[in-house]
Amino acid sequence: MEKPYILPRRASIDKPLRIAVFISGSGSGLNALLNYQQTPRAHITKLIISDNINAHGLKYGYDNNIKTKIIPLPDIFDKNRQRILHEGLINIELINSKVELIVLSGYMRILTPSFVAKWKGRIINIHPSLLPDFPGVHAHRDAIQSGVKISGCTVHLVDSGVDTGMILAQREVKIIPGETIQTLQDKIKKIEHEIYPQILDLLCEGQYHPMS
Ligand code: GAR
């Protein structure tokens, strides 16, 4: 049975929630969040984790003097053990940095159900489609190929499924004739960068209520 969501404590500018941001690639969403947090908020980024040693987004952690850890998948054959070991290493960093909320901002790995169970209600994901439509790693391609006229982004709590947890907010963009994966991605990233720091404000200020 799925565990219920346990949301983070209600935070304030004086006692901000300690956030870890997980990335795998360019990190434009991380950059947007760090810019947003230049003004004091009820959340503050204390740790950045990348599974990818070459992630461009690592730069934003270093430039902002935030603890930034590269944790690649351990080099072992058994895929299950590999995932569990990897998440064990990540969990140690989360505990060491007293993290209270995890933000998946372009993190391209699926978390195991046991990791999600430990943090359920305290992991949010940004996905570049209007979920439940087009989950997975090819959201833009799938949206364009399906012929829909509208796509967008979703901010949601993570559960043990793939891109399935409780939706916190969505924003739409139009798909225009001649749209490419690149142009759609650029448009959607722009709205993601506006919406998700604001949703973090609401979550940290206790404005969402859990459903199981
Ligand atoms: C973002 O568009 C985010 O929604 C997407 O990856 C991009 C990361 O961009 N996430 C997923 O597809 C997760 N399934 P960034 O590295 O420039 O922030």
Side-chain angles (χ1 to χ4, degrees):
M1 217 182 71
E2 277 266 344
K3 285 180 72 170
Y5 293 111
I6 299 172
L7 297 187
R9 69 176 167 86
R10 189 179 293 226
S12 63
I13 289 175
D14 294 337
K15 236 184 147 224
L17 215 70
R18 300 171 66 85
I19 290 184
V21 182
F22 289 16
I23 60 168
S24 295
S26 61
S28 65
L30 166 65
N31 189 33
L33 178 62
L34 296 179
N35 286 335
Y36 189 78
Q37 290 173 336
Q38 292 296 320
T39 302
R41 309 283 177 186
H43 44 86
I44 184 167
T45 300
K46 287 291 184 185
L47 177 67
I48 294 160
I49 289 183
S50 172
D51 60 325
N52 173 10
I53 189 166
N54 296 314
H56 176 264
L58 288 164
K59 162 187 173 11
Y60 301 119
Y62 302 139
D63 287 354
N64 287 279
N65 288 319
I66 296 169
K67 192 170 177 190
T68 298
K69 295 272 172 183
I70 302 166
I71 309 182
L73 271 183
D75 191 12
I76 57 171
F77 186 71
D78 181 323
K79 295 284 172 224
N80 268 338
R81 282 205 52 220
Q82 188 186 41
R83 291 177 79 197
I84 288 164
L85 219 75
H86 186 230
E87 290 176 352
L89 296 171
I90 290 174
N91 214 44
I92 289 169
E93 294 298 338
L94 296 173
I95 288 162
N96 286 345
S97 292
K98 300 187 174 60
V99 166
E100 299 173 281
L101 177 71
I102 298 168
V103 176
L104 307 181
S105 184
Y107 187 65
M108 301 315 267
R109 297 196 53 74
I110 307 293
L111 298 167
T112 63
S114 71
F115 183 90
V116 172
K118 275 203 253 310
W119 288 93
K120 196 165 168 206
R122 281 146 295 131
I123 313 176
I124 75 167
N125 183 40
I126 301 112
H127 184 78
S129 76
L130 296 174
L131 292 172
D133 292 343
F134 315 119
V137 292
H138 299 294
H140 304 304
R141 182 200 69 188
D142 295 347
I144 291 170
Q145 281 180 359
S146 78
V148 292
K149 298 282 181 288
I150 293 189
S151 189
C153 67
T154 303
V155 182
H156 68 98
L157 293 176
V158 172
D159 68 7
S160 62
V162 177
D163 300 326
T164 52
M166 176 183 149
I167 292 176
L168 302 178
Q170 294 186 304
R171 282 268 294 272
E172 295 181 353
V173 300
K174 286 199 175 105
I175 298 184
I176 56 170
E179 195 86 70
T180 65
I181 291 174
Q182 188 61 53
T183 58
L184 184 58
Q185 174 175 288
D186 292 346
K187 278 200 293 205
I188 289 181
K189 277 194 184 184
K190 208 159 159 222
I191 55 166
E192 287 180 348
H193 297 171
E194 286 169 19
I195 183 180
Y196 103 82
Q198 294 167 6
I199 298 310
L200 272 177
D201 283 348
L202 298 179
L203 184 66
C204 295
E205 288 161 7
Q207 305 217 26
Y208 285 103
H209 301 284
M211 310 176 319
S212 44

Short mmCIF file of all heavy atoms in Angstrom, two decimals, residues 23-30 105-108 125-128 136-137 140 163 185 188-189 192-193, ligand 1:
data_model
loop_
_atom_site.label_atom_id
_atom_site.label_comp_id
_atom_site.label_asym_id
_atom_site.label_seq_id
_atom_site.Cartn_x
_atom_site.Cartn_y
_atom_site.Cartn_z
N ILE A 23 19.82 17.47 -10.07
CA ILE A 23 19.89 17.79 -11.50
C ILE A 23 20.63 16.68 -12.24
O ILE A 23 21.34 15.86 -11.63
CB ILE A 23 20.62 19.13 -11.76
CG1 ILE A 23 22.07 19.08 -11.21
CG2 ILE A 23 19.88 20.30 -11.14
CD1 ILE A 23 22.96 20.22 -11.67
N SER A 24 20.49 16.70 -13.58
CA SER A 24 21.27 15.77 -14.41
C SER A 24 21.91 16.49 -15.60
O SER A 24 22.76 15.92 -16.27
CB SER A 24 20.39 14.65 -14.98
OG SER A 24 19.87 13.84 -13.95
N GLY A 25 21.43 17.71 -15.90
CA GLY A 25 21.87 18.32 -17.17
C GLY A 25 22.14 19.80 -17.07
O GLY A 25 22.91 20.23 -16.22
N SER A 26 21.45 20.56 -17.91
CA SER A 26 21.85 21.97 -18.08
C SER A 26 21.54 22.83 -16.86
O SER A 26 22.15 23.87 -16.66
CB SER A 26 21.21 22.56 -19.33
OG SER A 26 19.82 22.50 -19.22
N GLY A 27 20.56 22.45 -16.05
CA GLY A 27 20.35 23.15 -14.78
C GLY A 27 19.73 24.54 -14.90
O GLY A 27 19.85 25.34 -13.98
N SER A 28 19.01 24.79 -15.99
CA SER A 28 18.41 26.14 -16.12
C SER A 28 17.33 26.35 -15.05
O SER A 28 17.15 27.47 -14.57
CB SER A 28 17.85 26.36 -17.52
OG SER A 28 16.78 25.48 -17.78
N GLY A 29 16.65 25.28 -14.67
CA GLY A 29 15.64 25.40 -13.61
C GLY A 29 16.29 25.69 -12.27
O GLY A 29 15.79 26.52 -11.49
N LEU A 30 17.39 25.04 -11.99
CA LEU A 30 18.15 25.31 -10.76
C LEU A 30 18.58 26.78 -10.74
O LEU A 30 18.43 27.47 -9.73
CB LEU A 30 19.38 24.40 -10.71
CG LEU A 30 20.44 24.77 -9.67
CD1 LEU A 30 19.89 24.63 -8.26
CD2 LEU A 30 21.70 23.91 -9.85
N SER A 105 14.82 18.78 -10.44
CA SER A 105 14.77 19.83 -11.45
C SER A 105 15.60 19.37 -12.65
O SER A 105 16.78 19.68 -12.77
CB SER A 105 15.34 21.13 -10.86
OG SER A 105 15.23 22.19 -11.76
N GLY A 106 14.95 18.53 -13.48
CA GLY A 106 15.70 17.96 -14.59
C GLY A 106 16.57 16.79 -14.15
O GLY A 106 17.62 16.54 -14.73
N TYR A 107 16.13 16.08 -13.10
CA TYR A 107 16.84 14.87 -12.65
C TYR A 107 16.27 13.70 -13.44
O TYR A 107 15.06 13.43 -13.36
CB TYR A 107 16.64 14.68 -11.15
CG TYR A 107 17.46 13.55 -10.55
CD1 TYR A 107 18.85 13.62 -10.54
CD2 TYR A 107 16.85 12.44 -9.98
CE1 TYR A 107 19.61 12.60 -9.97
CE2 TYR A 107 17.60 11.42 -9.40
CZ TYR A 107 18.97 11.52 -9.40
OH TYR A 107 19.72 10.49 -8.83
N MET A 108 17.11 13.02 -14.21
CA MET A 108 16.60 12.09 -15.20
C MET A 108 16.64 10.63 -14.73
O MET A 108 16.72 9.72 -15.55
CB MET A 108 17.34 12.27 -16.54
CG MET A 108 17.20 13.68 -17.11
SD MET A 108 15.53 14.37 -17.06
CE MET A 108 14.94 13.90 -18.66
N ASN A 125 8.61 17.29 -8.22
CA ASN A 125 9.19 17.11 -9.56
C ASN A 125 8.58 18.14 -10.51
O ASN A 125 7.42 18.51 -10.37
CB ASN A 125 8.86 15.69 -10.05
CG ASN A 125 9.49 15.39 -11.41
OD1 ASN A 125 10.64 15.77 -11.68
ND2 ASN A 125 8.76 14.72 -12.28
N ILE A 126 9.39 18.57 -11.45
CA ILE A 126 8.89 19.45 -12.52
C ILE A 126 8.94 18.63 -13.79
O ILE A 126 10.00 18.09 -14.17
CB ILE A 126 9.77 20.70 -12.67
CG1 ILE A 126 9.79 21.46 -11.35
CG2 ILE A 126 9.24 21.60 -13.78
CD1 ILE A 126 11.11 21.43 -10.69
N HIS A 127 7.76 18.51 -14.43
CA HIS A 127 7.69 17.69 -15.63
C HIS A 127 7.19 18.54 -16.80
O HIS A 127 6.21 19.29 -16.66
CB HIS A 127 6.77 16.49 -15.42
CG HIS A 127 6.74 15.58 -16.60
ND1 HIS A 127 7.77 14.69 -16.86
CD2 HIS A 127 5.87 15.48 -17.63
CE1 HIS A 127 7.50 14.07 -18.00
NE2 HIS A 127 6.36 14.53 -18.49
N PRO A 128 7.80 18.38 -18.00
CA PRO A 128 7.46 19.28 -19.11
C PRO A 128 6.29 18.81 -19.97
O PRO A 128 6.40 18.72 -21.19
CB PRO A 128 8.77 19.33 -19.91
CG PRO A 128 9.37 17.98 -19.70
CD PRO A 128 8.97 17.55 -18.32
N GLY A 136 7.28 10.45 -18.73
CA GLY A 136 8.51 9.85 -19.27
C GLY A 136 9.46 10.88 -19.84
O GLY A 136 9.24 12.09 -19.74
N VAL A 137 10.50 10.37 -20.51
CA VAL A 137 11.62 11.25 -20.89
C VAL A 137 11.45 11.92 -22.25
O VAL A 137 12.27 12.75 -22.63
CB VAL A 137 12.97 10.49 -20.88
CG1 VAL A 137 13.38 10.11 -19.48
CG2 VAL A 137 12.94 9.28 -21.78
N HIS A 140 8.18 16.16 -24.92
CA HIS A 140 7.98 17.12 -26.03
C HIS A 140 7.72 16.37 -27.34
O HIS A 140 6.81 16.70 -28.08
CB HIS A 140 9.21 18.03 -26.18
CG HIS A 140 9.57 18.75 -24.93
ND1 HIS A 140 8.69 19.55 -24.26
CD2 HIS A 140 10.72 18.79 -24.21
CE1 HIS A 140 9.27 20.05 -23.19
NE2 HIS A 140 10.51 19.60 -23.13
N ASP A 163 6.02 9.88 -12.81
CA ASP A 163 5.32 11.15 -13.11
C ASP A 163 3.83 11.08 -12.77
O ASP A 163 2.98 11.59 -13.52
CB ASP A 163 5.51 11.52 -14.61
CG ASP A 163 6.99 11.70 -14.97
OD1 ASP A 163 7.75 12.19 -14.11
OD2 ASP A 163 7.37 11.36 -16.10
N GLN A 185 10.48 22.91 -26.06
CA GLN A 185 11.25 22.81 -24.81
C GLN A 185 11.58 24.21 -24.28
O GLN A 185 11.44 24.48 -23.08
CB GLN A 185 12.53 22.02 -25.06
CG GLN A 185 13.45 21.99 -23.84
CD GLN A 185 14.65 21.11 -24.07
OE1 GLN A 185 14.56 19.88 -24.10
NE2 GLN A 185 15.79 21.71 -24.24
N ILE A 188 8.50 25.85 -22.81
CA ILE A 188 8.03 25.24 -21.56
C ILE A 188 9.00 25.54 -20.42
O ILE A 188 8.58 25.83 -19.29
CB ILE A 188 7.80 23.72 -21.75
CG1 ILE A 188 6.56 23.52 -22.63
CG2 ILE A 188 7.62 23.02 -20.42
CD1 ILE A 188 6.17 22.09 -22.91
N LYS A 189 10.29 25.55 -20.72
CA LYS A 189 11.24 25.87 -19.64
C LYS A 189 10.97 27.27 -19.09
O LYS A 189 11.06 27.50 -17.89
CB LYS A 189 12.68 25.80 -20.16
CG LYS A 189 13.25 24.39 -20.18
CD LYS A 189 14.75 24.39 -20.37
CE LYS A 189 15.29 22.98 -20.47
NZ LYS A 189 16.74 22.92 -20.57
N GLU A 192 8.16 26.99 -16.74
CA GLU A 192 8.60 26.22 -15.56
C GLU A 192 9.36 27.13 -14.59
O GLU A 192 9.17 27.06 -13.37
CB GLU A 192 9.56 25.09 -15.98
CG GLU A 192 8.90 23.93 -16.68
CD GLU A 192 9.91 22.84 -17.06
OE1 GLU A 192 11.13 23.06 -17.01
OE2 GLU A 192 9.46 21.76 -17.43
N HIS A 193 10.22 27.98 -15.17
CA HIS A 193 11.08 28.81 -14.32
C HIS A 193 10.27 29.84 -13.54
O HIS A 193 10.69 30.28 -12.48
CB HIS A 193 12.15 29.51 -15.17
CG HIS A 193 13.08 28.54 -15.84
ND1 HIS A 193 14.00 28.89 -16.80
CD2 HIS A 193 13.21 27.19 -15.69
CE1 HIS A 193 14.65 27.83 -17.21
NE2 HIS A 193 14.18 26.78 -16.56
C1 GAR B 1 13.02 20.60 -17.65
O1 GAR B 1 12.22 20.98 -18.75
C2 GAR B 1 12.27 19.61 -16.80
O2 GAR B 1 10.89 19.78 -16.80
C3 GAR B 1 12.62 18.32 -17.47
O3 GAR B 1 13.96 18.44 -17.85
C4 GAR B 1 14.24 19.80 -18.12
C5 GAR B 1 15.48 20.16 -17.35
O4 GAR B 1 16.04 21.35 -17.80
N1 GAR B 1 12.42 17.21 -16.59
C6 GAR B 1 12.06 16.02 -17.00
O5 GAR B 1 11.90 15.74 -18.18
C7 GAR B 1 11.89 15.00 -15.91
N2 GAR B 1 11.15 13.87 -16.39
P1 GAR B 1 17.23 22.04 -17.01
O6 GAR B 1 18.29 20.98 -16.72
O7 GAR B 1 17.72 23.10 -17.97
O8 GAR B 1 16.65 22.62 -15.74
#
